[in-house]
Amino acid sequence: MSSTVLFDLPGPRARRRQRIGTVVGALVIVALVGLALYRLYANGQLEGDRWAVLFDPASGVPQALGEGLLNTLSVAAVGMVLATLLGALLAVGRLSDHRWVRIPVGVLIEFFRAVPLLILILFCLLFLPTVGVPMTAFRALVLGLTLYNMAVLAEIFRAGILSVDRGQREAAFALGMRKTQVMTLVLLPQAVRRMLPVLVAQLVVLLKDSSLGFIVSYLELLRTARSLVEFFNFSFGNRYTFQLYVAAGLIYIIVNVLLSQLAKYVEKRTRRSAKAAAVDDVELPADVQMGGGGGTVTKA
Amino acid sequence: MQFLSDNSDLLWSAFLTTLSLAVVSGVCALVLGTVLAGMRVSPVPPLRGLATFYVEVFRNTPLTVVFFFLAFGIVQIDLQFPSRFITAVAALSLYTAAFVCEALRSGINAVPPGQAEAARALGLTFGQSLRQVVLPQAFRTVVPPLGNVWIALAKNTSIAAGFAVTDLTAALQRLANANADQLLSVFAAVVAGYLVITLPSAWLIRVVENRVAIVR
């Protein structure tokens, strides 16, 4: 439904009201932003050299932030690849004809979706070393992200496999293919291709979740900003705190917006190409976008 | 078991903290998210723009960063929350509101255009058709996605542990450090605490969904 159905094209009086509303609203916003800026100014936060430190290679800040971003991206990349592979495997398992495969896989998926991601990461970090698996913050973070995201992706892939036209499956069987061949040669490639925009969108969620590394002291972007602040606090006091946090936040937003745009672009491409008739709804559900553990109610 | 009963006070208060975090932020996020959704479909362009901006910013910012800003950043504009708990509630509500807005908007889009057209034809204003025709139906369609947002919120409260709120996850870290030999029961107790919140919620969502679902 286009939102215009909810209201008529505004007439002269409504337009005047809207203009007044617009001006008043704009004034309120400008006043709030101005007040915030004024407070910042009064506290000296807007001084040029406080911000210049972000771009000054001599201070080591841009390098450190770059390294933090790289650490964040490498966790996300490794996690994404592992989660995609395992997720595809689990999706196939959940669609299996054998009950003894289907049910345990279903339980596994539900379990990893039901537990908060941070608890999974802490479990990997704290428990696995006691049973002889050597752990680092990086490994625990990647493992936690993988376990959670593979469960989410498994459900996404399952929807993708089910969305491939029935006739394809029947034709493949008619050609004498075995079940494994039908899945790996016919269904999965099409499902993955259709789900490509969703995979990219899930990358945004994973990237956001990688900031949980902050809590387990992995030197990702946020933790890097924090340790830079602590370092500077030692010699300059509170001088660069605000700037560094703003920088870290902005980097996240920029990278994620770029990724979201990429997802939209990929979606357009897949929709255009006749080979992979894209499914209609590739938006991730709101709760999956929230990261940290999607909901547990699956659609019937 | 002995170990768990020894620490039952800590675990119980941590559970209550987690539960109240989830409930209070859930209510705040629902209110703010509904306002945002109304703004996103409103006839006034600046309101639409503002709501879209809000949603895009919060959708692309990690929750940890939101927490971070409210805990350490806003001191610089001379704002301070009275307690850690309220900081956590603010972070969770602001973040979750963006997703509540998205879920609601998908519900508004699911209301057949004919309904809104009929409301317009009867001479209802934008506010009336939104409040009396579209939103009630939208709320009923989005019970499952909204419920899922709430469950995700309940799990996301665990991040508050990183910001000095003594919730279940914080209790986990404290107990795990002190009792390395009891790790498994610590984890089991804490996970059970979260499941006690999420599983009945999931069940309740299904019940409510079946009761209010609109057959189209």
Side-chain angles (χ1 to χ4, degrees):
Chain A
M1 182 195 71
S2 71
S3 53
T4 46
V5 185
L6 279 173
F7 45 86
D8 284 329
L9 278 183
R13 277 209 343 237
R15 272 210 299 276
R16 197 164 60 230
R17 266 207 315 270
Q18 273 186 24
R19 268 201 297 276
I20 295 171
T22 306
V23 170
V24 171
L27 280 180
V28 170
I29 292 168
V30 167
L32 282 177
V33 172
L35 187 67
L37 283 177
Y38 173 73
R39 302 303 322 182
L40 287 176
Y41 171 76
N43 290 345
Q45 294 297 347
L46 296 183
E47 286 163 25
D49 59 326
R50 286 201 176 191
W51 292 94
V53 75
L54 295 178
F55 305 99
D56 178 15
S59 68
V61 171
Q63 293 95 320
L65 285 180
E67 208 170 297
L69 178 61
L70 214 60
N71 286 344
T72 288
L73 290 178
S74 57
V75 163
V78 177
M80 193 65 194
V81 171
L82 290 178
T84 307
L85 294 177
L86 290 173
L89 205 66
L90 286 183
V92 173
R94 197 167 201 186
L95 289 171
S96 162
D97 286 339
H98 306 292
R99 194 183 291 192
W100 58 271
V101 177
R102 201 168 54 218
I103 290 175
V105 168
V107 170
L108 201 72
I109 292 175
E110 291 305 325
F111 176 77
F112 284 122
R113 292 183 56 174
V115 177
L117 176 55
L118 184 55
I119 302 276
L120 282 180
I121 295 171
L122 287 174
F123 183 81
C124 297
L125 188 70
L126 299 175
F127 179 71
L128 290 186
T130 64
V131 291
V133 184
M135 264 300 139
T136 58
F138 176 81
R139 281 191 203 165
L141 193 57
V142 166
L143 207 56
L145 286 170
T146 304
L147 290 176
Y148 164 61
N149 283 283
M150 76 177 186
V152 173
L153 288 178
E155 289 297 277
I156 291 171
F157 278 130
R158 189 168 74 118
I161 293 172
L162 289 176
S163 79
V164 176
D165 192 57
R166 272 178 66 92
Q168 303 254 351
R169 199 182 136 86
E170 286 160 4
F173 277 125
L175 285 172
M177 286 187 177
R178 304 177 56 83
K179 270 195 292 194
T180 323
Q181 287 176 312
V182 174
M183 187 55 85
T184 53
L185 297 177
V186 180
L187 298 181
L188 257 189
Q190 299 194 62
V192 170
R193 213 170 151 187
R194 283 180 187 203
M195 291 295 144
L196 201 58
V198 177
L199 280 178
V200 181
Q202 184 68 23
L203 196 54
V204 174
V205 180
L206 207 148
L207 206 66
K208 282 201 296 184
D209 282 341
S210 72
S211 69
L212 288 177
F214 170 75
I215 295 169
V216 294
S217 296
Y218 172 65
L219 261 184
E220 43 73 69
L221 188 53
L222 196 58
R223 176 54 76 176
T224 307
R226 181 76 179 154
S227 45
L228 279 174
V229 165
E230 274 156 12
F231 172 73
F232 280 126
N233 273 359
F234 189 66
S235 23
F236 306 105
N238 234 344
R239 196 163 166 71
Y240 301 111
T241 310
F242 185 69
Q243 288 70 12
L244 284 164
Y245 292 161
V246 169
L250 277 182
I251 294 176
Y252 269 113
I253 295 177
I254 291 169
V255 172
N256 283 337
V257 167
L258 287 179
L259 272 176
S260 306
Q261 293 303 318
L262 180 68
K264 277 190 196 131
Y265 173 76
V266 173
E267 189 195 337
K268 238 186 235 154
R269 283 293 299 261
T270 32
R271 186 156 289 173
R272 220 174 353 164
S273 96
K275 269 188 208 151
V279 281
D280 295 331
D281 190 21
V282 289
E283 266 274 282
L284 287 171
D287 59 306
V288 173
Q289 287 181 23
M290 283 174 73
T296 47
V297 183
T298 32
K299 251 189 222 156
Chain B
M1 279 305 110
Q2 175 64 38
F3 161 77
L4 288 182
S5 55
D6 286 348
N7 293 289
S8 59
D9 284 352
L10 172 63
L11 283 170
W12 178 242
S13 72
F15 172 76
L16 287 184
T17 306
T18 292
L19 186 64
S20 42
L21 263 185
V23 170
V24 178
S25 333
V27 172
C28 295
L30 188 64
V31 172
L32 184 55
T34 310
V35 173
L36 282 171
M39 282 166 72
R40 277 200 89 161
V41 296
S42 85
V44 187
L47 285 185
R48 284 204 298 266
L50 193 67
T52 312
F53 178 75
Y54 181 96
V55 170
E56 283 303 313
V57 165
F58 277 92
R59 238 176 19 164
N60 288 303
T61 314
L63 177 55
T64 327
V65 173
V66 179
F67 258 103
F68 208 74
F69 250 93
L70 295 188
F72 306 120
I74 61 160
V75 186
Q76 303 302 328
I77 53 173
D78 300 330
L79 275 176
Q80 197 150 23
F81 291 105
S83 75
R84 300 277 190 186
F85 182 82
I86 294 179
T87 309
V89 166
L92 287 164
S93 315
L94 289 174
Y95 181 76
T96 311
F99 300 95
V100 170
C101 170
E102 284 302 277
L104 260 184
R105 204 165 60 102
S106 72
I108 293 177
N109 286 338
V111 176
Q115 301 262 345
E117 280 167 7
R120 292 296 306 140
L122 287 172
L124 299 190
T125 64
F126 167 73
Q128 284 173 326
S129 49
L130 195 62
R131 271 197 310 274
Q132 295 173 12
V133 179
V134 177
L135 269 186
Q137 298 189 61
F139 267 116
R140 287 165 64 171
T141 355
V142 296
V143 166
L146 265 190
N148 283 347
V149 166
W150 142 261
I151 290 176
L153 163 68
K155 283 183 254 173
N156 272 336
T157 57
S158 60
I159 296 178
F163 298 86
V165 177
T166 321
D167 70 343
L168 276 173
T169 307
L172 170 95
Q173 281 170 308
R174 198 184 294 175
L175 290 177
N177 285 337
N179 309 276
D181 51 330
Q182 298 277 4
L183 268 182
L184 272 186
S185 37
V186 175
F187 272 103
V190 169
V191 167
Y194 281 101
L195 292 185
V196 163
I197 299 176
T198 55
L199 290 184
S201 306
W203 173 79
L204 196 68
I205 293 161
R206 261 188 220 126
V207 172
V208 174
E209 185 200 356
N210 287 338
R211 188 157 300 176
V212 303
I214 304 167
V215 183
R216 289 221 175 87

